[in-house]
Amino acid sequence: MGRLLLHRLGGLVTTLLLSSVVIFGSLYLAPGSPENVLFGNRAPSAAARAAVRHQLHLDQPLPVRYWDWLTAVLHGDLGRSMVTGQSVAGRVGAGLGSTLLLVALSISLVVILGLGLGTAAALRPGRVDATANALTSLSVTVPPFVASTLLISVFAVKLGWFPASGVQSGLLGQLRGLVLPACALAVVSCGFLARVTRNALREQLDREHVQTAQVRGLPRRVVLRDHVFRNALPPIITAIGLLTSGLFASTLVVESAFAVPGIGQLTIQSVAQKDFPVVQAVALLLVAAFVVCNAVSDLVQALIDPRLRIVGRTT
Amino acid sequence: MTTPETPPPSQSQPLLEISGLTVRLGVGGDSRPVLDGVDLTLAPGEALGLVGESGSGKSMTVRAVTRLLPQGAAFAGSIRFEGRDVAAMDAAELRGYRDHGVGMIFQDPRAHINPTRRVGAFLTEALTRNRGLSRREAEDRAAAVLAEVGIDDPVRRLRQYPHELSGGMLQRVMIASVLLAEPRLVLADEPTTALDVTIQAEVVGILDRLRRERGMGMAFITHDLDLALAVCRRVAVMYAGRIVEIRAAEELHQRAAHPYTLGLLGSRPSIDARAERLNAIPGRPVSAFEAGPGCAFAARCAHAQAVCREVRPELEPFRGGLVRCHRVAEISLQEATA
Amino acid sequence: MRTETTTETTTDQPTAPATAGVSPASRIGVFARVRTALGPSGVAAAAFLLLVLVLALAAPLLAPYDPNAQALLDSYAGSSGSHLLGADGIGRDILSRLMFGSRTSLLGPALVVSISLLVGIPLALLAAWYGGAVDALVARIFDLVYALPGLLLAVLAVALFGPGLTPAVAALSIAYVPFLARIVRVAARQQRTSPYVDALAVQGFGVVRITVRHILRNIAPVVLGQAAIAFGYALLDLASLSYLGLAVQAPTSDWGVMVSDSDALMKGYWLPVIAPGVLIVLCVLSLTVLGARISGERPQPYLRLRGSRRTGASS
């Protein structure tokens, strides 16, 4: 188990490092000199321009620049915003809370509804299964921006149950403002998780060890819980890990649609304002979220299925 | 919540009584018979061998006994365990029956034991859930039985996972789990087929000894006729979903009467004699749905005549056993005078 | 779509009436075979997509109005004889805008998939053929690119190069390479170790010829199916980007842009924003169903999350 942890950690760090190289290096892909890219349409004073040039260490070779940048990032210094001049870390930190709350709300919805629907479909073949299949087939093709539009149109404008904007005051107000965005995020993921759950449970129901449990006279509830569901968990957990990391990416769209003041909206605003350091910082965060989610889901799986604790096995 | 206790049987009553068992499976739209009128009785404490080739229906028979038939299977006939109708049991009764009355040893232990849980959990699960024992008590009992089946260091084994044990050890664990429940009837479905030959003898030996010690009845399913003869008091031969002969094991060699049984006996190569060719029964074994209206073995039988192909023979007494063959008397006469 | 491989004929045959010309009888035969291969759902999906394609190509001829023609008197007109799907805030006909919008909405994904295949297939075939270190390197590169969500790469690109279809398409093309190439690599690897390839090599056929004529032909259905699914997801990604104003921008009548009409949304006019959304969903649904049928699976649309093969969602 310890070896597996180390192995996974190593893979995690490698991917993060390589991604950071790409994110760092992207600045130099654009046409024009790097400081011009950062300034965008703004016309800086000579002093400001010199300050940025110094900050970028443009006199140093590229690998050194990367190293300096990386060490700064690891110390929490994500640079300065081109628009506000304040530290990027500050701006990002402010929005992170909203985004985390939104994603947490959404993933709860996904897990409850997705698992519920998938389990119902697996345990009741026939009409229930077919209906669930049709529903989920449809839901996985509804992108977050269409879902947002639909939800606003019906529940905010027409029915007025929830606000169309995610900016609210007070804890209850904040939660109320996040309901629709969380649903918009959840639509696709729910369908996907329901399908995964259904398939995983169906596969386990046919397994021989389940027959052993049945033939010993164990109550159905116990058979389902300890043998069917438990063994079906690994792919379900993989899916939940993947979906969580996917949700972070989808916040780019949903937060903008609902004006939720999180890092997704911050990113889009920064792109429009050509505030590249902010974009870079969020990109790093998103990749980190991706990689961490995956690693956690792998480890949880290994906890459940002891055969997965051997390095290299995926089944 | 414990399972209901089943009342102990009266001595004269058979432990298991199967009559006219017919099972049909739905395959691609139509319903095909897999078992076609099986009749069997088992006395308490008796070991009965059920021998047959693939497709003969022997596994399906014991599955029917535990009501473990696949989805969509249609079932006719009756199965009585200690006089009670198994098919008529409600959910609670069925659980009690499966817990106290009958125990099943499966063929492939690795597939039949949950790989994500420890061996100890597997063994104690039924005791703690069905009988309400504490975990401590259950583990003590489990360790004791593991020792009986010849597993060393049983307490450590309880902590291990199935993938850490060899196939032979896993099968012993499976046997141990059945013994722990102390059922009155054990159904062993090819318990040693998946094991190495050297382990086979050991495992069968353990199973037989412990069974006799506890007075459990056993239905021992195998395709290996010799194995059945060694372990069981009576042997039933199955072909195409029906029983074709039942006879005491010690008499089978001398007094077997059904042409199929004779074919099985004769097709075993002898290590002593030389032979130009091996005696094989021509053709291939058929399943119940492939059999014609008459005797299922008619297509491969050297003695088959018109009546064999048209009229289904019944299981009738002959020479101290039961045989399902129209011409059994004439055939035996031929063999005797040959 | 031919799903079986044709045999090589390297020797001349004296008259071959079957290949000389395509008789009406054999033409019907092909159509019937395609119909059975696709199944009823596949045929419906293909028919729908064909219809959309025709409308896209023939938009200038078929559209009732110029998509940019404003008619303020018709502002937010509902569905009527003159405007089949109503009009938006400044009186532009929705139906015409949808038809013209399909051109950009379909062109973008087409470019993404084409470029991805052009880059990915040779890479994958190289990896499959040479194996060893080459294969390991390519696999590592794929894993890295796969770790970065396509939407994020597109956002980075737009931040650097400014909004527009080009940076978005370029970024997404790179992002989709692993998705498509993975299948090619696995399938080609399987083919590569097949005995017939060794037989051909022994006969003296060159690597390129074996690869192109034989391996590619055999994996074509799977790859085409995957390409159809990738088309669907690229459509979603580009529409999301256009919704955010980062790819295609207003006043161009792209479907994603149309959904972002927040004026119409907040005023309660749902037709201008829902119609393009529904069209997007139907297109993606058709593409995933068709893709699954072409590659020979039962139609079970699944999400292209990393590692979805591990979750078994596509069974």
Side-chain angles (χ1 to χ4, degrees), chain C residues 91-112:
Chain C
R92 298 177 292 191
D93 178 46
I94 302 284
L95 181 61
S96 310
R97 281 180 72 75
L98 283 178
M99 289 170 70
F100 274 90
S102 61
R103 305 176 121 206
T104 50
S105 302
L106 294 177
L107 177 67
L111 284 172
V112 169

Side-chain angles (χ1 to χ4, degrees), chain B residues 46-65:
Chain B
E46 181 192 11
L48 173 74
L50 197 54
V51 178
E53 294 167 290
S54 317
S56 57
K58 44 194 205 299
S59 279
M60 198 61 68
T61 309
V62 294
R63 272 161 191 270
V65 171

